[in-house]
Amino acid sequence: MIAHVYVHAPFCARRCVYCDFAVTVNRTPAGATWLAAVSREFGTLRAWGDAPLAPELDTLYVGGGTPSLLDPRLVGRLPAALGRGNRNAGPKRDGPETLEWTAEANPESFTEAVAREWAAAGVNRISFGVQSFDRATTEWMGRLHSPSDAEAAVARARTAGVDNLSLDLIFGLPDTVSRSWETDLHRALDLSPPHVSLYGLTVEKGTQLFRDVTSGRTPRPSHARYQEEYLLAAELLADAGYEHYEVSNFALPGFASRHNRAYWSGASYLGLGNGAHSFHDGRRWWNEREWEEYAALVAQNGHGRAGQERTSPKRSRLESVWLGLRTAQGLEVAGRSVDRVVRRWEARGLATRDDTAVRLTPLGWLLLDDLAVELDLALQPVAHPPPVDAPADRANLST
Ligand code: SF4
């Protein structure tokens, strides 16, 4: 049974310079069309038997894009669209029996009406795309909010009764963007968010940033700055009492994201909307990436599926190694060739090991992708992995 659902809301008022997500620029999105499309997609999957949802969902995540651009009443209708009652409605309850219902918001569109409607509907976790508290930096990114918008949005959420808040921050910017990362981290901490997510900037093809970097208008972000800022964040947030529970996520005790943990633990999940991915019973499938194509496909065929595959045992093993190493819980592994690899990592400060698991340090997380491949090779009966001797390079820390 599937207990975790992601719904993609693809609309943004403007595209940020670095963004290659499945979004469409539209300040006044056709929200009713969106809700009808994802509802119809779900109905088709249910008829196919591809979406055996648990009677009670554990997590529901509305991401984007910018869900706060939508008519806020539409987000509240999602449980009904999934054929589920809304056990978050009514008197507020805490604890694991409550649905963790997250919605993403950008500060400038998180109005009092959005805060009120979402809270009344049962949204109990809000993830804000803050990225920076420096106005020149958010302008460079192409974002529409000011630092005071971010602070006001956090206050609005709390006034509406939603305290489980996460702030997204971006690090590793090009050297020509001179904001102080340390100041940004302190500004975030001043707001006491229970959760912080870090995004390491990457230059993706097709983005404005890619064009600027390849034409020489903007210098390529440096590896040194990326590493320095990541390690500084890990240190400052740990000192402030946050658990670095996953490569790019930090939480005060009790506030780790249950939805993201489900992804990292290999649980089944259902993704609805354009560009969404799903995983269940060893099979993955994904939807058309562009909103217009997805919407046309759903209108025509009742679903937006673009492809599917069954995960091979080899790929499953590499994925479990990679997912295990992402988290502070680490990975339970044993064997002589594994011991050799892990001893090398420990000597370089990349990992620690105790009786139960191997865990990467923040320095190791910077090399996550390479280390996962190295450990996976060590787990193969006959393979002998080459050591990872290259200097610490960037891993893709975006989620
Ligand atoms: S707000 Fe987020 S999803 Fe929208 S364009 Fe910017 S980075 Fe992309």
Side-chain angles (χ1 to χ4, degrees), residues 336-350:
R336 262 201 281 171
S337 46
V338 168
D339 291 344
R340 273 197 298 274
V341 167
V342 174
R343 272 200 300 274
R344 271 203 304 272
W345 292 359
E346 286 179 306
R348 296 176 55 202
L350 302 176

Side-chain angles (χ1 to χ4, degrees), residues 70-90:
L70 294 166
D71 176 338
R73 291 167 299 186
L74 297 173
V75 169
R77 289 184 198 145
L78 282 170
L82 296 170
R84 294 291 170 280
N86 183 352
R87 68 187 194 277
N88 282 15

Side-chain angles (χ1 to χ4, degrees), residues 11-12 14-16 18-21 23 64-66 106 143:
F11 311 104
C12 285
R14 188 201 278 179
R15 188 177 277 273
C16 302
Y18 51 82
C19 180
D20 75 331
F21 299 158
V23 299
T66 310
N106 278 351
R143 299 188 74 91

